[in-house]
Amino acid sequence: MRRILLISAVIALAVAGCTGTPRNAEGGRPATVGGVPTSAGTHKQKLDVGTFGHREYLLHVPAKVSGGRWRDGRPADPPALVVALHGGLATMGQMEKLTGFDRLSDEKGFLGAYPDGFMTTWNAGDCCGPAKVGDIDDVGFLAELIDRLTGAGLADPRRVYVTGFSNGAGMAYRMACERPGKIAAIGVVEGALVTECHPDRPVSAMIFHGTADENVPYHGGGRRDFNDGRPFPPASRAVAFWRRVAGLPAKGEKIKTSVSQARCESSGADGVAVAFCTVDGGTHRWPPGASAVLWDFFAAHPRAR
């Protein structure tokens, strides 16, 4: 009889140990927070945005979130969040590989999110494709994604950064135009500002553009979409716009960069900066080394309180 009671007690203790919040090995952190996994690696996630179906994104969590310090089921010091938007006719998985942000995430400790566009496109205003034609609320989707991660305490709301390539770069511009209060800085690579823009506060920006880009020409030109023959504006127009919003000098000072063939200049004040990197001979591609330069720029520019 005593043996049966002893076995029962052991089983009861084992069950009790399994019924609480699942926890990872590191620092006793929970396995999920607000339904979002916290274990190291890349996780495919779904997000209900209140419309038919759902939207998806990849979330890369570094091995050491908050330096391994957790308190009350939340990171003691929530990390930064970098949201990376793929180009047209691409996917979240391709953007993850293109940027190499996962390696930087593991090294620097920020969260990396790679959302999927609608039928491989983003509604960046006058571009592009199915997302534009369907008037998809991509601003709402990305805002909800940011809110989910910051609201759960997994990311620092003052250090949210959005970067993108091509159509995704145009979407980064649109987010800064319509949700500047959610974003500290944007990183634009081979994209154009093709949406009405009336931000109520300045946003830091780093803009890369190749002089030999034939898809989104450096000096402007081409056509905005399959059903819109208007030319893209020159890259310099967006630079001038964001500097004007921030009250910055129109001409920046030269800064060093590790990106090959890139000439960068930046102007900044009161914690806001706009940097413009011209890639001599650069085509419509993500410049090697640009991700590390973008992260350094992001890290230096949290959102002003």
Side-chain angles (χ1 to χ4, degrees):
M1 182 67 179
R2 282 179 296 180
R3 183 180 179 184
I4 294 174
L5 290 174
L6 179 60
I7 293 173
S8 299
V10 170
I11 293 174
L13 287 171
V15 171
C18 294
T19 56
T21 302
R23 296 189 176 271
N24 287 316
E26 180 203 321
R29 65 179 175 182
T32 62
V33 174
V36 180
T38 68
S39 59
T42 300
H43 310 272
K44 185 176 181 180
Q45 297 290 284
K46 295 180 179 181
L47 187 62
D48 181 5
V49 292
T51 58
F52 177 77
H54 61 267
R55 301 296 295 268
E56 295 184 341
Y57 66 98
L58 299 176
L59 178 68
H60 185 79
V61 181
K64 288 289 185 181
V65 176
S66 187
R69 300 181 303 276
W70 288 70
R71 183 167 52 245
D72 299 328
R74 300 289 187 273
D77 300 300
L81 168 65
V82 175
V83 180
L85 310 177
H86 62 73
L89 304 181
T91 65
M92 56 188 180
Q94 289 173 313
M95 189 63 175
E96 182 183 27
K97 294 177 182 177
L98 177 70
T99 61
F101 274 130
D102 286 1
R103 178 185 59 79
L104 281 170
S105 167
D106 291 335
E107 180 183 340
K108 306 296 184 179
F110 63 85
L111 296 180
Y114 309 90
D116 231 3
F118 176 77
M119 295 180 67
T120 71
T121 59
W122 298 103
N123 182 5
D126 293 337
C127 182
C128 291
K132 183 195 75 171
V133 172
D135 194 25
I136 301 301
D137 185 12
D138 281 326
V139 170
F141 164 45
L142 296 177
E144 191 162 337
L145 168 58
I146 291 169
D147 286 346
R148 182 179 189 187
L149 298 176
T150 58
L154 289 174
D156 183 351
R158 292 188 60 242
R159 296 188 295 148
V160 175
Y161 309 101
V162 178
T163 185
F165 173 68
S166 190
N167 180 204
M171 191 66 223
Y173 273 141
R174 187 169 188 181
M175 281 297 293
C177 292
E178 299 187 24
R179 295 291 193 278
K182 291 188 180 295
I183 298 172
I186 57 173
V188 172
V189 180
E190 308 301 329
L193 177 58
V194 289
T195 187
E196 288 192 16
C197 196
H198 307 286
D200 57 11
R201 63 184 297 164
V203 173
S204 292
M206 174 167 262
I207 299 164
F208 281 91
H209 215 113
T211 58
D213 187 339
E214 296 182 356
N215 296 62
V216 185
Y218 179 85
H219 294 292
R223 51 186 300 135
R224 298 189 183 189
D225 208 351
F226 73 96
N227 60 353
D228 188 343
R230 290 177 297 166
F232 286 108
S236 59
R237 185 177 298 178
V239 178
F241 173 81
W242 290 107
R243 286 180 176 167
R244 187 166 61 250
V245 168
L248 300 175
K251 184 65 177 177
E253 298 181 356
K254 291 183 179 179
I255 58 174
K256 292 182 179 180
T257 179
S258 59
V259 176
S260 178
Q261 303 301 312
R263 295 178 286 111
C264 299
E265 46 94 5
S266 179
S267 58
D270 299 324
V272 177
V274 177
F276 183 33
C277 295
T278 296
V279 184
D280 292 322
T283 57
H284 195 69
R285 66 169 187 156
W286 188 275
S291 296
V293 174
L294 284 168
W295 167 250
D296 288 343
F297 179 83
F298 292 160
H301 296 93
R303 192 184 73 217
R305 294 188 183 278

